[in-house]
Amino acid sequence: MPAMDITASVATLRDRVDRVTTAAQRAPGSVTILGVTKTVPRETVLAAIAAGLTDIGENYLQEARSKYVGLPPVRTHFIGHVQTNKAKAITALFDVVQSVDRLESGLALAKAAQTAGKALRALVQINISPAERFGIAPAEAPALARRLRDEGLVVDGVMAIGPLGGSVEDAFALAAQTFAAVGGATLSLGMSGDWERAIAHGSTMIRIGSALFGPRPAREGALA
Ligand SMILES: *Cc1c(COP(=O)(O)O)cnc(C)c1O
């Protein structure tokens, strides 16, 4: 997408998000837009940041390595599956890891953050959809959060991927309830197809790829 289109795209989405947030009786500006940049070229990411995007996220460490170095001030989020042997590299490159869904990867991140002297923020990824491979059972999320906080990780809330198609209401209500039990400031919930419902359920951060950057090319073996 050319730079001009991206500028308009960011402004239009921000405007829509503020209207939906206000309609949900919530303060405009209380929902952060996380731009999901997978498959998006670096120049487009730079244009989106220039247009006011404050938060960006990637699923693949390798892809972020070539795009997320030397950017203007922006918060970077890792939203892919955390392999324990990549914890150090993920910690070095990202400000927030949204996808902690088991003790082993959380402990590896806590250790890497301590070694690097970095206050790494993390979210517990919960599973609220039968079609999703990853995410801890919602009932187990508060105990995982507690344990990882004891280890020095700044656990700031919950991330979830909604069910594709069908009703999201029960799943999003469960995510909000789990967020309340875990505590923190961030409920990362909602993507291009379901962000309006997510905001109605209290999401504080929507993760938007295609609705911001246009449709993604199909990718062999891609998870999303
Ligand atoms: C790809 C992805 C998104 C964004 O998806 P869109 O439907 O394009 O908005 C959000 N969250 C995660 C974890 C993703 O992998």
Side-chain angles (χ1 to χ4, degrees), residues 36 38 59 79 159 161 191-192 207-210 216 224:
V36 176
K38 59 188 174 204
N59 304 60
I79 59 174
M159 184 271 257
I161 298 172
M191 300 169 35
S192 290
R207 306 181 308 272
I208 308 296
S210 46
R216 282 183 293 277

Side-chain angles (χ1 to χ4, degrees), residues 54-95:
T54 57
D55 293 75
I56 55 175
E58 275 286 345
N59 304 60
Y60 299 100
L61 177 64
Q62 209 46 43
E63 200 176 329
R65 270 189 172 138
S66 60
K67 276 197 293 201
Y68 279 16
V69 172
L71 293 177
V74 65
R75 271 181 304 275
T76 57
H77 300 250
F78 187 70
I79 59 174
H81 182 61
V82 179
Q83 290 173 270
T84 303
N85 63 345
K86 301 277 169 59
K88 198 174 153 200
I90 290 170
T91 300
L93 196 54
F94 293 89
D95 300 309

Side-chain angles (χ1 to χ4, degrees), residues 10-191:
V10 171
T12 304
L13 181 63
R14 182 73 259 170
D15 195 55
R16 285 182 61 200
V17 167
D18 283 346
R19 272 186 282 126
V20 169
T21 307
T22 306
Q25 324 279 327
R26 300 177 53 199
S30 62
V31 176
T32 301
I33 298 169
L34 167 61
V36 176
T37 62
K38 59 188 174 204
T39 76
V40 176
R42 181 180 158 89
E43 313 84 73
T44 309
V45 176
L46 285 168
I49 296 169
L53 204 65
T54 57
D55 293 75
I56 55 175
E58 275 286 345
N59 304 60
Y60 299 100
L61 177 64
Q62 209 46 43
E63 200 176 329
R65 270 189 172 138
S66 60
K67 276 197 293 201
Y68 279 16
V69 172
L71 293 177
V74 65
R75 271 181 304 275
T76 57
H77 300 250
F78 187 70
I79 59 174
H81 182 61
V82 179
Q83 290 173 270
T84 303
N85 63 345
K86 301 277 169 59
K88 198 174 153 200
I90 290 170
T91 300
L93 196 54
F94 293 89
D95 300 309
V96 185
V97 180
Q98 296 211 352
S99 39
V100 178
D101 66 352
R102 61 208 162 95
L103 184 60
E104 294 72 31
S105 57
L107 290 177
L109 289 166
K111 186 166 167 238
Q114 190 179 29
T115 305
K118 183 169 180 171
L120 185 68
R121 280 170 57 206
L123 305 181
V124 174
Q125 180 176 355
I126 59 168
N127 190 310
I128 57 169
S129 163
E132 277 301 316
R133 273 170 73 201
F134 300 119
I136 192 172
E140 294 170 23
L144 178 62
R146 222 174 297 126
R147 175 71 201 278
L148 292 176
R149 283 176 180 135
D150 286 346
E151 300 290 337
L153 212 52
V154 184
V155 180
D156 191 40
V158 161
M159 184 271 257
I161 298 172
L164 299 174
S167 168
V168 299
E169 299 303 320
D170 290 351
F172 282 5
L174 178 59
Q177 191 188 321
T178 308
F179 172 50
V182 165
T186 306
L187 173 57
S188 174
L189 187 69
M191 300 169 35

